[in-house]
Amino acid sequence: MYKRQAWYQTTNTDGDVSVYLSNDARPDWALKVSGTASDAFMIANSKGANDTCQYPAFSIGTAGAVGIGKTGAGNILDITYRNAATGGMVITEATNSVATKIISLATCSVMGTSTNHKLGFITNDTTVGMFDTSGNFGIGTEAPGAKLDVRGSAVFNEAGNAVDFRIEGD
């Protein structure tokens, strides 16, 4: 098997070293190592003029912050995307194909399942709340029987303020 290797070195004390990769099908990819205060390591698609990354895919900043879809990550994990249809973060448990999605849309942020599974909330590794696939929410139960199903005690207006509390039915 033939193995291709390359070694690149610069004596610049401050600046960038870039390696451009391309194949017949394109797109062009760039691997950039920066000696500046912004990005210490970056992988980008389609490098532009003047060493500008047009579509940064992955970056690691000098403080260890990881950027996905951006340069200059401001948090330990900083994800940026341009298309809400394909954006967000999905975590999938492969054995049962349960997928959790976190996404920021134009008017709100959303977290939930992107598969036909319940969405639960846990504390101390114990389920304390659960949305089922019908939109019912249970507190103290993983099988809610109504839009709001509370199993256990509930406190309403404990401070005695002048606040209405109503339960209505048919």
Side-chain angles (χ1 to χ4, degrees):
M1 176 172 10
Y2 182 70
K3 188 174 180 182
R4 294 187 178 158
Q5 297 179 4
W7 175 273
Y8 298 94
Q9 183 175 356
T10 181
T11 57
N12 294 341
T13 56
D14 188 18
D16 302 328
V17 176
S18 298
V19 178
Y20 300 93
L21 308 168
S22 184
N23 60 19
D24 293 338
R26 297 191 72 94
D28 295 328
W29 284 89
L31 173 64
K32 175 181 174 183
V33 179
S34 178
T36 64
S38 60
D39 289 302
F41 177 80
M42 181 172 32
I43 298 174
N45 180 335
S46 185
K47 291 288 279 187
N50 300 322
D51 204 30
T52 304
C53 289
Q54 294 178 0
Y55 305 105
F58 177 82
S59 65
I60 302 174
T62 55
V66 174
I68 298 175
K70 70 177 297 175
T71 60
N75 296 292
I76 196 68
L77 178 60
D78 203 338
I79 302 172
T80 299
Y81 53 89
R82 289 171 175 69
N83 183 341
T86 59
M89 181 175 74
V90 176
I91 302 170
T92 303
E93 186 274 315
T95 302
N96 299 298
S97 298
V98 179
T100 303
K101 186 170 188 174
I102 301 171
I103 188 168
S104 295
L105 303 172
T107 59
C108 64
S109 291
V110 179
M111 180 189 79
T113 62
S114 57
T115 56
N116 190 26
H117 294 90
K118 299 185 265 185
L119 173 66
F121 298 90
I122 63 173
T123 59
N124 198 25
D125 211 22
T126 302
T127 302
V128 294
M130 180 73 66
F131 281 102
D132 69 12
T133 57
S134 299
N136 294 338
F137 180 66
I139 299 173
T141 178
E142 293 188 27
K147 286 295 174 194
L148 177 61
D149 186 343
V150 179
R151 308 281 175 98
S153 62
V155 176
F156 301 98
N157 198 18
E158 184 176 36
N161 296 329
V163 180
D164 279 348
F165 175 77
R166 291 193 258 175
I167 299 175
E168 296 182 10
D170 294 338

